Amino acid sequence: GENVEQHPSTLSVQEGDSAVIKCTYSDSASNYFPWYKQELGKGPQLIIDIRSNVGEKKDQRIAVTLNKTAKHFSLHITETQPEDSAVYFCAASGSSGSARQLTFGSGTQLTVLP
Amino acid sequence: NAGVTQTPKFRVLKTGQSMTLLCAQDMNHEYMYWYRQDPGMGLRLIHYSVGEGTTAKGEVPDGYNVSRLKKQNFLLGLESAAPSQTSVYFCASSEQGVSTEAFFGQGTRLTVV
């Protein structure tokens, strides 16, 4: 099955700096890669996703890049703000079909220092 | 529009007791999922359902059972709770399977003593 590794497990940045979280996956058939943000005491919430036919996607201060050859994808947050502090999870999935499962990374605790 | 609602939010069980966690969604989604979240291990899929009346095993199904009698509800049962089942449980739903956005509930913190 799919194996997703996520690094780093903790990340502290100064407000205004950039943050980068990296993930690798094992199943070459995976073609959907979402990123979820989980605030304390809440469920995860989708912040951005990318499909295998695209190399990069951007939404305001958040961007995701995908390298299918190397089987890795990354989350980039620019101009970080205190409200960006949360746990971030990457995930990978196979082709869109009912039998595929979404496999999550172990999470990154991001702390933005004021 | 409540989204995904989990009941209860907290529960303490004694080893060997049974309980049912309820998940309800009001988005008319076909797919529903139960995950458990443990420190340093991310979210792991327990069971899932691709539609009313269907269920399937995920990555860590042992010790759990599920039912999807109505499209909007997905129940997770623990027949005989064990300390290893102490975790935070999340229910999620999606419109068209794992390649579409999953909407999560707020979680249920379960402690088995």
Side-chain angles (χ1 to χ4, degrees):
Chain A
E2 177 70 277
N3 182 46
V4 177
E5 294 191 358
Q6 183 173 347
H7 301 281
S9 56
T10 61
L11 178 61
S12 293
V13 299
Q14 290 293 136
E15 182 177 356
D17 287 350
S18 295
V20 180
I21 302 171
K22 299 182 179 181
C23 289
T24 60
Y25 63 98
S26 61
D27 187 353
S28 58
S30 292
N31 63 0
Y32 177 65
F33 308 91
W35 286 88
Y36 284 83
K37 175 183 180 181
Q38 185 178 26
E39 298 177 341
L40 194 61
K42 297 184 178 180
Q45 186 171 12
L46 181 72
I47 55 171
I48 195 167
D49 57 15
I50 191 168
R51 300 184 189 274
S52 58
N53 59 345
V54 176
E56 183 175 358
K57 184 177 179 180
K58 189 174 181 180
D59 183 4
Q60 299 183 337
R61 297 185 297 107
I62 295 174
V64 57
T65 59
L66 172 65
N67 183 326
K68 285 209 71 179
T69 302
K71 295 183 188 173
H72 67 71
F73 56 114
S74 301
L75 178 71
H76 305 253
I77 305 174
T78 59
E79 300 174 11
T80 53
Q81 302 168 3
E83 52 265 37
D84 294 329
S85 294
V87 179
Y88 292 81
F89 292 97
C90 64
S93 170
S95 57
S96 57
S98 61
R100 300 299 296 194
Q101 299 180 11
L102 200 61
T103 301
F104 286 83
S106 55
T108 297
Q109 174 69 63
L110 173 64
T111 302
V112 179
L113 304 170
Chain B
N1 189 343
V4 178
T5 303
Q6 292 182 230
T7 308
K9 293 184 179 179
F10 303 93
R11 185 71 186 269
V12 178
L13 282 180
K14 293 182 178 179
T15 298
Q17 286 185 321
S18 63
M19 77 162 294
T20 300
L21 281 67
L22 172 63
C23 176
Q25 54 97 0
D26 61 3
M27 296 172 283
N28 202 35
H29 286 169
E30 290 291 339
Y31 295 76
M32 297 188 74
Y33 316 87
W34 275 107
Y35 291 91
R36 61 177 288 172
Q37 184 175 37
D38 301 294
M41 301 186 72
L43 292 146
R44 293 182 292 167
L45 184 64
I46 304 171
H47 285 281
Y48 64 99
S49 168
V50 303
E52 180 178 315
T54 74
T55 62
K57 294 181 179 180
E59 180 185 357
V60 289
D62 293 343
Y64 305 95
N65 57 76
V66 289
S67 63
R68 184 100 181 267
L69 299 179
K70 294 183 178 180
K71 185 177 183 179
Q72 64 268 32
N73 295 336
F74 195 29
L75 278 63
L76 177 71
L78 284 72
E79 296 176 341
S80 179
S84 60
Q85 294 178 304
T86 293
S87 187
V88 180
Y89 293 85
F90 286 97
C91 175
S93 70
S94 65
E95 188 174 8
Q96 293 180 3
V98 296
S99 295
T100 56
E101 180 177 1
F103 293 82
F104 284 82
Q106 77 277 23
T108 296
R109 182 172 295 275
L110 174 66
T111 302
V112 182
V113 297

